[in-house]
Amino acid sequence: MTRMERANEDLTAKARIRDAALRLFAEQGFEATTIRGVASAAGVSSGLVRHHFGSKEALRDACDVHALDHAMAIKEEAILAGGLADSTFMAAVYPSILLMQRYLARSLVDGSPSAAALFDRMVDLAEQWAQDGRLPTRPDDPRAFAAALVAMQTGLLMLHDQVSRALGADVLDASGHIRLGRAILDIYTHPLLTDDQAAQARAAYDQLQARAPFSSAPSAPAAAGTVTKGPRP
Amino acid sequence: MTRMERANEDLTAKARIRDAALRLFAEQGFEATTIRGVASAAGVSSGLVRHHFGSKEALRDACDVHALDHAMAIKEEAILAGGLADSTFMAAVYPSILLMQRYLARSLVDGSPSAAALFDRMVDLAEQWAQDGRLPTRPDDPRAFAAALVAMQTGLLMLHDQVSRALGADVLDASGHIRLGRAILDIYTHPLLTDDQAAQARAAYDQLQARAPFSSAPSAPAAAGTVTKGPRP
DNA sequence: CAGTCGACTACACATCCGTATAGTCAAATC
DNA sequence: GATTTGACTATACGGATGTGTAGTCGACTG
């Protein structure tokens, strides 16, 4: 049982404040979250938030540290205690993992240095994994591959509301999560282009590379607007 | 030449305000962008912002409409004029496409109804594309597949700053963009798991599905924390 | 018991915000 | 020329924000 799982009344006010802030920052973002809002959610006065954390920025720092520590602590407990096979442990811990991840993902948009450092760390690890020969096909540029993969996975978390709405089911609960997980598995295990198409796309990139600045089709990393043509980035 | 590409001094103050707002909303988010900030960026008084748009929310609405209209107008001009093959056209238009996309992507986090509607539309189109038999392997759940794909691509755009930093190159300029595009192509065309691993993952989802609520490994849509194990969602 | 310390509340303050409003000026119209 | 209209500035206002501060209360220590 980590500290996070204790009933709210077992926590010090400081911890309650930090947890409330973490949740509100994750849900609303840093700017839209007010000190008075955090205080109210924690059931204390705004003066106490000031007493314990000094400033809004320092409160964010504390949340950053906690989110990172917590992610690491869960990982260690899972390894030391064989927790990954203990369904009671995982069922209890999963919601807090999710909140930490959502907080860190939101913080990437809100401009938190700690979240940025974590992103870089994730890319480092994914790059190593891509280089270790564990993939069926080793990528030409493991670094870019890793960065893209981490960003794509993070995007799923950041846009969980949108995905849930589009599916008509909450992807943060069990069945929605399984459904989304299967879809992600399909995306990562089935080629989205035929070999011919892929070869053509690579040739097109070769051509673009050989030219001067920007002289043809944008093929932006598709978001709104281009994905209708398929994953032609 | 669309209106967006005219020199700034050719635009009415109203258009300059709207464009400044669109850019600041995309860069900073809705909450952190102030009316006075928009006015200053547009070179007008805050009273004029009020005069033309009435309220901050209405300004956002106008930006939403403009971003969507603009995305559609570019698409139509490209089709009618054969613009996709005209490198001068694309070179001129690409920056504004990018800004619109960044605005719409940021708006998904900030809670704009128009951006949400566009996301849904993109998912609809991607779902249709997935169902039309154009993929080498047709997904079991085209809807979830489409939603995941759109969210992943959108995430790349939202996190372009982070990706650029991780790669040490700006992914919004030509060479960085090509580099990232190749990596994305690799992710989408090479399976990230062996057939055995994929089958095991699918069996695990079957098991989870057959159980009660949440009784085992989280396999959250990975973001910070789990991608180190590979794309085990 | 008195003093100290930490947790906590209540309130104040300066600044900033979105919104409101009065006034100016130039161009167009009658 | 007089009037109207739209573009525009300057300023004000009420409310919200982050930050600051004084005071209370209970637990602990010497």
Side-chain angles (χ1 to χ4, degrees), chain A residues 34-36 50 55-56:
Chain A
T34 64
I35 297 289
R36 290 171 174 86
R50 171 165 189 74
S55 68
K56 192 178 181 184

Side-chain angles (χ1 to χ4, degrees), chain B residues 112-170:
Chain B
S112 144
S114 299
L118 179 65
F119 183 90
D120 294 345
R121 179 98 202 287
M122 289 301 111
V123 174
D124 290 343
L125 292 171
E127 181 187 12
Q128 195 167 357
W129 168 79
Q131 280 179 332
D132 283 354
R134 299 194 209 166
L135 287 171
T137 303
R138 178 164 162 181
D140 292 335
D141 185 346
R143 185 67 178 175
F145 182 97
L149 198 57
V150 174
M152 286 157 81
Q153 292 296 108
T154 306
L156 282 165
L157 196 52
M158 287 160 69
L159 294 173
H160 69 90
D161 281 337
Q162 320 294 345
V163 175
S164 297
R165 191 188 57 251
L167 298 190
D170 185 0

Side-chain angles (χ1 to χ4, degrees), chain B residues 78-100:
Chain B
I79 291 169
L80 293 180
L84 285 175
D86 177 356
S87 62
T88 308
F89 173 72
M90 295 316 302
V93 159
Y94 178 66
S96 75
I97 290 181
L98 208 45
L99 180 60
M100 296 300 145

